[in-house]
Amino acid sequence: MKNVIEVKNLTKEYKELKAVDNLSFAVQEGEILGLLGPNGSGKSTTINCILSLLNFSEGSIKIFGKEMKPDAYDIKKDIGVVFQDVAVFEELSVYDNIDYFCGLYIKDKRVRKKYVEEAIQLVGLEEFKNFFPKKLSGGLLRRLNIACGIAHKPKLIFLDEPTVAVDPQSRNNILDGIKMLRDRGATIIYTTHYMEEVEILCDRVIILDKGKIIASGTNAEVKALASIEEKVSVEAIDLDKKYIDEIKKFKNVDEVIYNNNILFIRYKKGKNNLDTLLDYLKEEHIKYNKIYSERPTLNDVFLELTGKELRD
Amino acid sequence: MFIHNFKYALKTLFRNKMLIFWTFAFPIILGTFFNMAFSDIEKSEKLDIIDIAIVETDEFKNNEIFKESFKELSNKKNKDRLFNTKYVEESEAKELLKSNKITGYLLLKDTPKVVVTTSGINETILKYVTEEIKQTEKIVENLAQSEIKKEVEKKNYNIDYDQIYNKVLEITKDSDANIKNITSHNLSYTMIEFYTLIAMACLYGGILGMVAINQNLANMSSNGKRVSVAPTSKGKLILSSVLASYITQLIGIFLLFIYTIFALKVDYGNNLALVILLATVGSFAGLSLGVAVACLFKANDNVKTGIVISITMFGCFLSGMMGITMKYIIDKNIPIINKLNPANMITDGFYSLYYYDTLDRFYFNVVSLLIFAFLMIAISMFSLRRQKYDSI
Amino acid sequence: MLKRELKVNLKSFIIWTVLLIGMFLVVFLVYPSIVNSNNIEMMDEMMKMFPSEMLKAFNMDLSTIDSAFGWLKTEGFIFVLLVVGCYCSILGSTILLKEESDHTIEYLNSLPITRNKIVISKVLCGLFYIVLMIFLLTIFNYIGLSFSGKFDHKQYFLLSITPIFSSIVIFFFCLLLSTFTHKNKRILGMSLGVVFISYILYTLSSLSKEVEFLKYISIFTLADIRHVILNTSINPVMIVMSVILSTLFFILALVRYNKKELL
């Protein structure tokens, strides 16, 4: 599979800090790459450098095998971008906004009309075609924002935190739309600090912190970087301390916390941890109401690697 | 792509209520108030021919400039005639003044002296005209002397008197205009204020020019970012947006003309076509100023708006639009400032239609405005070439 | 909170003050040479040929322009009113609205401070900068005038204070306007419109009886420069009107801001 984007040793410095520090990665054709990281980690800066909107101090950027420049129109015609800020004209209706931005890529009026209608359908704005942006809710506005960025059916799409401050219905709609775009053959770079979205959408993920890559790979590969295997929560009322001390001695147990009648156990690598726990609870006739088990999340990986949460 | 962007730029401008108010409605509202305010003044202003006497001293008889100037200003066939002049002895002049048969008399000996008994408009006109002619005489003398000296130093004894004469003519034209400015029967305060109104309306184009640029700059708006990543030449996008802004501006100016001519019955005289030409070029200059500010200054929208307004206001202030004295102070003492000031180029162009018989000065102002505009556009295009940002 | 406001608004204050002082610097540099030549007497006499109503609009019926102070009394202070008025309108209209456009309002709302406190700290900041601007200009012009000859000090200081009365009303009015919208751009145009229209109405109102009523619509009437020139005292009615209007607009702004849905 060929690389659509190749970033090598990208560095972007401001006076006081390095926003992007010697970043290198590649994006393969047809995949959805997630760029994950807290605020200020360099996600948007990286995107802006790749799109030739920002100067950078060092490094090289190639898209479709060619050097990316501000006037590389042959590359730009196949790129679609959905920025974090809603970028639409207040004075134009939904239809006109999409038509305008699509028109910067597609000259043919008939083709453009077809594309605009399809984009409106993709984001579910058929009922709102003649509405003006100020009449739309936040979620609908985001959908319009996306439609403006992808109406021209680009091969490479950048989505920079497209679901910020969006209602759940709109968010699901957006995520479904993105999957559809991928199914149609687009390569997608998706930046977010919502790990759940990355887990649903992305084939590969890169985690950034302070301008550097701290982890990359598929979801499973990145999660495997976490030194914990499993997290278990048990609702057990008035659990005696002696039981807690016993559980602490179990094999593979990393940490045990009992607070507000919830027993929380973190397991390091190992199998059948939950079975062992359940057997013990049964043996000791410990009453419990609910029990949860979850695998490590990307947030856990990030927390381990940096000591911070992804969403601060 | 050009037509596509142009069409949408026009649409967004016409749907922007604030811009539409400033471009279309505000000048018309202002014009209405001007009309109400100045119509009374117009009715009361009538200038009479002033009765004066000139003492026929030898110095006066030998002074061609004074002699010819007063002859022309007293000529019954001259539509801009100011004086009814008697040429008398000094004693007779004193007698005429004492019996109030004349406003004042001119006594030219070593220096010209105007003798009056009271102060008033007519007395002031006489003094002013005398001073103006005296200044012209000085300049002409100095000019002739320096030109001749230059030729002699070059050892060129075939002096081009025609060239010197033409230069003298230029100076006397200026002097003529200054005199007419003060005393002409054609002087109309309403016209001056309407010309000022048109000039200000032209300069509002700066805001429209700025809007056209901000929409297309990645560091100025989210829309600008989106447009910057599109495969469309920035030059085309900006030109089409600027053209849309210019056309919007022109529509506003033409609506103003239609309203002032048909509703307010303002008479622009035989020069209407030239007035419209100047307004068109002036609008372009105003627009280009806004474009340049938007391209050159790295600041947010509000700061840039403030800069355009400050520069425009300062220019209007220096050209006398906000008061009466500044223009004269600047023109007399630091004329170069107003020669570079687009606000002054516009108003001076209008005044020159009124006060000059030829259109040289008018076209000079038109060409100056065009040069100014193209310079602003060139600077803007240069600063936008292949632009990438350090921060957006 | 007040310290933060002062810091945030410092840059624009400096730019406007430098611009304003710069314009008067040009005047003070140019005027001595004008006065020394014969131009000025001639211009002064020439001005008298303009209709009396036009002279009245610029107070030229009360003062001559044969000195820098004379010019200040005529066009100069009117220009101060306009420029300071523009600054106050921009400041008043954006000082609250900025928090919404910069998306910092969510953060502010999460802090344990009331909306009233937010407004009051911004108002204090605005008033501080307005008064400081006028104060700095007063000092600068005083120094400039001291080099250009004798002038009536009392009249000068009173004239220097008059812009405060119109400026604070403009500030509070624009602050109130800003509570009705969420968009910076929209309000900026409206606020500057208020200033320019006020200026033009103020100038036109003295030109004929038909349009005299315009002075009651113009905020600049509160400055009442003519009263200071004629009586060497500030018109107390205008002070009272200025205080009443400022207080009214301020209270309305507070009420409105507390009800406003902040984005």
Side-chain angles (χ1 to χ4, degrees):
Chain A
M1 195 108 31
K2 61 178 179 182
N3 287 335
V4 169
I5 300 177
E6 282 174 22
V7 175
K8 285 186 182 150
N9 308 114
L10 179 67
T11 303
K12 166 73 183 165
E13 283 184 75
Y14 293 104
K15 277 184 205 158
E16 310 88 26
L17 67 102
K18 264 186 186 169
V20 178
D21 192 355
N22 200 26
L23 209 63
S24 296
F25 65 94
V27 184
Q28 289 181 346
E29 193 176 8
E31 73 169 344
I32 301 183
L33 175 76
L35 268 185
L36 198 61
N39 291 329
S41 56
K43 304 188 296 295
S44 296
T45 309
T46 304
I47 302 288
N48 288 329
C49 287
I50 293 173
L51 291 170
S52 260
L53 286 171
L54 280 180
N55 289 319
F56 47 88
S57 340
E58 281 169 45
S60 82
I61 295 169
K62 282 190 180 168
I63 300 181
F64 304 126
K66 298 178 214 168
E67 194 76 33
M68 182 59 178
K69 290 178 229 174
D71 56 358
Y73 299 144
D74 53 336
I75 302 174
K76 283 183 168 183
K77 68 175 174 46
D78 289 319
I79 298 178
V81 188
V82 179
F83 289 107
Q84 195 173 345
D85 297 327
V86 172
V88 296
F89 287 98
E90 295 284 325
E91 299 89 357
L92 298 177
S93 66
V94 165
Y95 186 93
D96 281 344
N97 262 298
I98 303 171
D99 184 55
Y100 170 68
F101 288 112
C102 190
L104 298 177
Y105 296 83
I106 310 288
K107 284 184 190 170
D108 189 309
K109 272 190 195 164
R110 256 179 293 177
V111 171
R112 190 166 76 234
K113 190 172 178 208
K114 181 166 158 267
Y115 281 16
V116 170
E117 296 287 351
E118 285 172 12
I120 290 174
Q121 265 186 356
L122 182 76
V123 298
L125 284 176
E126 296 95 327
E127 288 168 45
F128 305 97
K129 254 202 262 192
N130 297 320
F131 278 55
F132 286 84
K134 66 178 176 192
K135 299 275 187 202
L136 299 178
S137 69
L140 293 177
L141 212 49
R142 289 266 166 201
R143 292 198 223 175
L144 171 60
N145 199 36
I146 290 169
C148 290
I150 54 94
H152 56 287
K153 299 196 195 287
K155 292 179 191 163
L156 173 62
I157 304 173
F158 290 86
L159 291 145
D160 192 357
E161 307 205 33
T163 59
V164 164
V166 155
D167 59 275
Q169 190 189 359
S170 290
R171 174 187 272 195
N172 287 337
N173 180 290
I174 288 167
L175 296 178
D176 289 339
I178 292 168
K179 284 183 207 163
M180 231 185 288
L181 289 168
R182 189 263 310 269
D183 294 340
R184 286 181 192 174
T187 306
I188 298 172
I189 317 298
Y190 190 88
T191 71
T192 182
H193 55 243
Y194 294 119
M195 58 203 170
E196 318 84 56
E197 290 178 0
V198 171
E199 292 188 23
I200 296 168
L201 279 180
C202 301
D203 302 311
R204 279 197 310 129
V205 63
I206 290 174
I207 302 182
L208 292 177
D209 186 40
K210 291 183 186 164
K212 287 188 162 89
I213 295 178
I214 55 166
S216 71
T218 62
N219 277 315
E221 284 167 4
V222 170
K223 282 181 192 174
L225 292 173
S227 60
I228 57 162
E229 172 68 23
E230 196 172 1
K231 294 183 287 189
V232 174
S233 305
V234 182
E235 193 182 333
I237 316 289
D238 294 332
L239 189 63
D240 206 276
K241 193 175 178 298
K242 68 173 185 195
Y243 298 120
I244 297 170
D245 290 337
E246 279 293 309
I247 292 168
K248 275 182 185 173
K249 292 173 191 164
F250 282 10
K251 199 176 164 192
N252 298 326
V253 166
D254 185 49
E255 190 184 18
V256 177
I257 301 168
Y258 183 68
N259 200 12
N260 291 333
N261 295 318
I262 305 287
L263 177 69
F264 177 78
I265 308 162
R266 276 157 58 105
Y267 289 95
K268 286 181 284 200
K269 302 295 173 194
K271 297 209 184 304
N272 304 319
N273 297 312
L274 187 59
D275 290 338
T276 312
L277 178 67
L278 285 171
D279 289 341
Y280 177 78
L281 292 174
K282 210 172 171 181
E283 264 173 42
E284 299 297 329
H285 305 289
I286 295 168
K287 290 202 176 98
Y288 59 91
N289 295 324
K290 293 173 197 170
I291 190 159
Y292 303 104
S293 166
E294 56 175 335
R295 296 287 158 189
T297 62
L298 292 169
N299 192 50
D300 294 320
V301 174
F302 189 80
L303 188 63
E304 234 183 84
L305 291 172
T306 64
K308 297 181 295 198
E309 299 278 340
L310 264 171
R311 233 181 310 168
D312 43 41
Chain B
M1 216 66 84
F2 188 94
I3 305 284
H4 175 79
N5 195 61
F6 173 76
K7 182 180 110 185
Y8 276 107
L10 264 184
K11 232 180 184 176
T12 54
L13 282 172
F14 274 90
R15 287 188 187 163
N16 186 327
K17 290 178 189 147
M18 198 50 54
L19 274 177
I20 292 303
F21 170 77
W22 280 109
T23 311
F24 297 153
F26 184 64
I28 286 175
I29 294 169
L30 218 55
T32 312
F33 280 133
F34 276 6
N35 196 51
M36 283 164 65
F38 287 103
S39 53
D40 275 355
I41 296 175
E42 275 290 280
K43 287 172 201 158
S44 63
E45 278 301 306
K46 285 274 180 257
L47 283 172
D48 301 318
I49 308 273
I50 304 169
D51 290 314
I52 63 166
I54 294 178
V55 178
E56 279 197 293
T57 56
D58 289 334
E59 287 87 346
F60 180 79
K61 284 179 193 166
N62 293 331
N63 189 319
E64 284 302 313
I65 289 178
F66 265 93
K67 212 166 71 177
E68 290 304 313
S69 300
F70 273 100
K71 187 178 167 189
E72 188 55 33
L73 289 167
S74 312
N75 187 351
K76 288 180 183 170
K77 290 178 189 164
N78 181 1
K79 67 174 171 67
D80 296 318
R81 182 186 176 207
L82 282 177
F83 301 120
N84 184 19
T85 310
K86 291 192 169 90
Y87 296 89
V88 297
E89 297 291 323
E90 192 174 352
S91 53
E92 195 182 339
K94 281 182 183 169
E95 205 41 59
L96 287 167
L97 184 61
K98 200 174 167 188
S99 54
N100 286 328
K101 286 186 179 155
I102 55 171
T103 298
Y105 65 86
L106 172 67
L107 175 65
L108 183 61
K109 284 199 168 156
D110 297 322
T111 55
K113 185 182 168 193
V114 169
V115 181
V116 294
T117 49
T118 56
S119 67
I121 288 181
N122 290 345
E123 286 80 357
T124 308
I125 290 174
L126 176 57
K127 282 191 207 171
Y128 181 80
V129 167
T130 307
E131 181 61 32
E132 196 60 39
I133 297 170
K134 177 185 158 192
Q135 292 218 5
T136 307
E137 182 193 31
K138 218 184 213 172
I139 296 171
V140 165
E141 263 178 37
N142 289 341
L143 173 70
Q145 275 178 12
S146 74
E147 289 296 314
I148 292 169
K149 191 178 172 190
K150 261 192 238 170
E151 297 300 312
V152 165
E153 274 169 5
K154 283 189 221 168
K155 296 207 168 88
N156 173 22
Y157 299 110
N158 290 330
I159 293 165
D160 188 352
Y161 288 108
D162 280 339
Q163 196 191 45
I164 298 174
Y165 178 66
N166 286 335
K167 285 190 181 171
V168 164
L169 269 184
E170 278 302 311
I171 295 163
T172 49
K173 260 192 199 165
D174 278 345
S175 164
D176 268 349
N178 286 341
I179 292 172
K180 277 185 194 171
N181 190 6
I182 289 302
T183 58
S184 171
H185 287 245
N186 290 331
L187 184 60
S188 163
Y189 299 106
T190 311
M191 286 318 302
I192 290 174
E193 293 308 322
F194 275 102
Y195 286 150
T196 307
L197 175 66
I198 295 167
M200 283 172 87
C202 290
L203 294 169
Y204 286 152
I207 300 294
L208 286 172
M210 211 183 65
V211 164
I213 295 296
N214 285 350
Q215 272 174 3
N216 294 298
L217 284 187
N219 63 339
M220 280 310 300
S221 63
S222 313
N223 290 349
K225 263 167 85 170
R226 209 197 266 287
V227 152
S228 293
V229 299
T232 310
S233 144
K234 202 178 279 174
K236 266 193 208 164
L237 284 176
I238 288 173
L239 275 171
S240 53
S241 297
V242 168
L243 182 64
S245 288
Y246 185 44
I247 286 177
T248 309
Q249 170 76 357
L250 286 181
I251 293 172
I253 296 283
F254 290 138
L255 280 175
L256 179 64
F257 273 117
I258 290 169
Y259 179 71
T260 52
I261 292 170
F262 294 108
L264 302 181
K265 309 281 185 223
V266 173
D267 180 16
Y268 293 101
N270 298 328
N271 297 316
L272 182 60
L274 293 173
V275 169
I276 291 174
L277 170 66
L278 185 58
T280 308
V281 175
S283 298
F284 184 47
L287 188 88
S288 68
L289 177 65
V291 165
V293 167
C295 292
L296 291 173
F297 288 90
K298 289 178 188 171
N300 68 38
D301 212 14
N302 291 340
V303 173
K304 286 190 188 183
T305 305
I307 292 171
V308 169
I309 290 172
S310 309
I311 294 175
T312 308
M313 261 172 41
F314 194 42
C316 290
F317 169 67
L318 291 177
S319 70
M321 283 194 213
M322 289 179 189
I324 316 166
T325 54
M326 253 307 143
K327 181 178 165 63
Y328 293 99
I329 290 173
I330 300 293
D331 279 350
K332 287 280 185 201
N333 296 281
I334 336 168
I336 186 76
I337 290 181
N338 268 346
K339 285 206 185 331
L340 299 172
N341 175 6
N344 189 68
M345 289 175 203
I346 301 174
T347 50
D348 198 58
F350 285 134
Y351 298 157
S352 67
L353 280 177
Y354 239 58
Y355 299 127
Y356 286 87
D357 294 324
T358 64
L359 293 173
D360 294 347
R361 188 146 163 170
F362 171 78
Y363 284 119
F364 175 78
N365 282 306
V366 167
V367 169
S368 301
L369 280 166
L370 283 171
I371 292 172
F372 175 85
F374 282 120
L375 198 63
M376 291 292 118
I377 300 281
I379 292 170
S380 310
M381 298 303 282
F382 185 74
S383 84
L384 288 176
R385 277 184 71 222
R386 297 200 70 214
Q387 196 164 40
K388 268 162 83 165
Y389 304 96
D390 280 332
S391 175
I392 52 172
Chain C
M1 180 105 199
L2 178 61
K3 258 192 207 165
R4 172 187 174 260
E5 286 306 317
L6 289 170
K7 197 174 169 190
V8 160
N9 292 293
L10 180 63
K11 193 175 175 186
S12 88
F13 165 76
I14 290 173
I15 292 172
W16 277 92
T17 308
V18 164
L19 263 168
L20 189 59
I21 287 180
M23 289 187 207
F24 282 92
L25 180 66
V26 167
V27 172
F28 284 120
L29 287 173
V30 158
Y31 236 85
S33 58
I34 297 170
V35 169
N36 289 336
S37 72
N38 287 327
N39 277 333
I40 203 73
E41 275 171 25
M42 200 40 53
M43 269 194 285
D44 206 18
E45 297 228 22
M46 182 190 73
M47 289 305 135
K48 290 186 180 127
M49 291 194 280
F50 278 82
S52 59
E53 295 89 342
M54 274 188 79
L55 298 178
K56 195 178 163 198
F58 295 97
N59 300 321
M60 282 181 184
D61 55 329
L62 303 177
S63 174
T64 58
I65 54 163
D66 57 356
S67 66
F69 186 50
W71 179 81
L72 271 180
K73 281 195 282 183
T74 55
E75 289 178 13
F77 273 111
I78 292 173
F79 192 64
V80 171
L81 289 182
L82 181 62
V83 176
V84 176
C86 284
Y87 170 68
C88 293
S89 73
I90 294 174
L91 186 65
S93 58
T94 56
I95 202 165
L96 271 178
L97 214 49
K98 216 172 27 189
E99 304 291 355
E100 288 179 65
S101 58
D102 290 350
H103 305 295
T104 48
I105 192 64
E106 294 150 357
Y107 165 71
L108 266 183
N109 271 344
S110 68
L111 296 175
I113 45 173
T114 60
R115 286 196 190 185
N116 282 347
K117 196 173 177 197
I118 295 173
V119 175
I120 288 167
S121 59
K122 286 177 185 293
V123 160
L124 285 174
C125 169
L127 291 175
F128 174 75
Y129 277 134
I130 293 169
V131 171
L132 183 62
M133 181 182 277
I134 292 171
F135 174 73
L136 288 172
L137 184 65
T138 303
I139 302 290
F140 177 79
N141 283 343
Y142 183 80
I143 295 170
L145 285 173
S146 305
F147 283 109
S148 64
K150 286 187 180 167
F151 62 97
D152 185 337
H153 291 225
K154 186 181 175 190
Q155 198 177 66
Y156 169 71
F157 281 115
L158 288 175
L159 280 169
S160 301
I161 296 170
T162 55
I164 293 180
F165 305 122
S166 57
S167 303
I168 55 168
V169 173
I170 291 173
F171 173 74
F172 282 113
F173 182 68
C174 292
L175 187 79
L176 173 62
L177 279 183
S178 75
T179 60
F180 287 96
T181 181
H182 299 288
K183 299 272 180 200
N184 237 352
K185 274 184 202 171
R186 205 169 289 168
I187 200 63
L188 199 64
M190 238 189 287
S191 310
L192 284 171
V194 163
V195 175
F196 283 121
I197 290 174
S198 274
Y199 173 77
I200 286 158
L201 295 181
Y202 173 73
T203 314
L204 292 180
S205 63
S206 57
L207 291 176
S208 97
K209 286 210 160 37
E210 247 185 71
V211 290
E212 209 179 333
F213 71 93
L214 293 176
K215 71 178 181 198
Y216 298 111
I217 314 173
S218 169
I219 299 177
F220 289 117
T221 308
L222 293 168
D224 207 355
I225 293 175
R226 280 186 79 78
H227 192 275
V228 176
I229 297 173
L230 282 167
N231 305 301
T232 315
S233 71
I234 295 177
N235 188 345
V237 172
M238 295 304 163
I239 302 178
V240 169
M241 283 301 304
S242 175
V243 168
I244 291 173
L245 285 171
S246 300
T247 312
L248 176 69
F249 292 141
F250 174 53
I251 292 171
L252 287 172
L254 268 179
V255 167
R256 176 69 204 148
Y257 192 67
N258 274 296
K259 288 189 183 161
K260 190 182 180 188
E261 264 182 43
L262 297 170
L263 295 178

